Amino acid sequence: MIVHTLIYRFPATVTEQDQQEFFAAMKELLDRHDTIKGFDHRPHLWLPADKGSRGITASAIAQFSTESLDDLKRFSETPEVYDFTTQWKGKLRFEAAYANHEQMSV
């Protein structure tokens, strides 16, 4: 199982409603592809130390999974994914980091 982890930082101008619309649209996109095996997202849980941290602190985390790296590659190269990313990044002006990795057990 390959997991694609996304770490988002939304500007202060992005409302909770905006974020919910973004993640709902992402779920719709993922649901249209049978290679995607799971999806979830959660808000970052703030600690007092996060406000003054020197690093980038996330607003939200999302993950989805595929059976193989080839499945993830095929999905990520579709025009739909490019269009989704371009549209929403233009609208919300978020920053994102991501990692592709095997499923971890913690």
Side-chain angles (χ1 to χ4, degrees):
M1 185 72 61
I2 301 298
V3 178
H4 183 69
T5 298
L6 297 140
I7 302 169
Y8 291 101
R9 184 168 74 170
F10 296 102
T13 57
V14 174
T15 67
E16 180 66 30
Q17 180 66 31
D18 292 333
Q19 290 181 47
Q20 290 306 314
E21 288 175 16
F22 170 71
F23 287 118
M26 180 183 285
K27 181 171 180 3
E28 287 178 23
L29 170 66
L30 296 169
D31 285 347
R32 289 193 295 270
H33 294 269
D34 62 356
T35 58
I36 305 302
K37 301 301 177 195
F39 168 72
D40 203 359
H41 67 91
R42 294 282 188 261
H44 171 72
L45 302 175
W46 287 89
L47 295 172
D50 294 342
K51 302 267 188 229
S53 68
R54 293 184 180 188
I56 295 172
T57 303
S59 304
I61 308 294
Q63 288 187 324
F64 63 86
S65 59
T66 61
E67 290 291 329
S68 69
L69 196 55
D70 284 339
D71 286 344
L72 179 58
K73 180 181 181 287
R74 278 191 298 280
F75 169 75
S76 67
E77 292 175 348
T78 63
E80 251 186 315
V81 170
Y82 175 82
D83 292 345
F84 175 86
T85 303
T86 302
Q87 173 193 357
W88 281 99
K89 192 162 181 139
K91 180 179 177 179
L92 300 183
R93 304 281 185 216
F94 59 78
E95 295 178 88
Y98 63 88
N100 304 318
H101 53 92
E102 293 179 348
Q103 191 166 3
M104 298 184 284
S105 73
V106 277

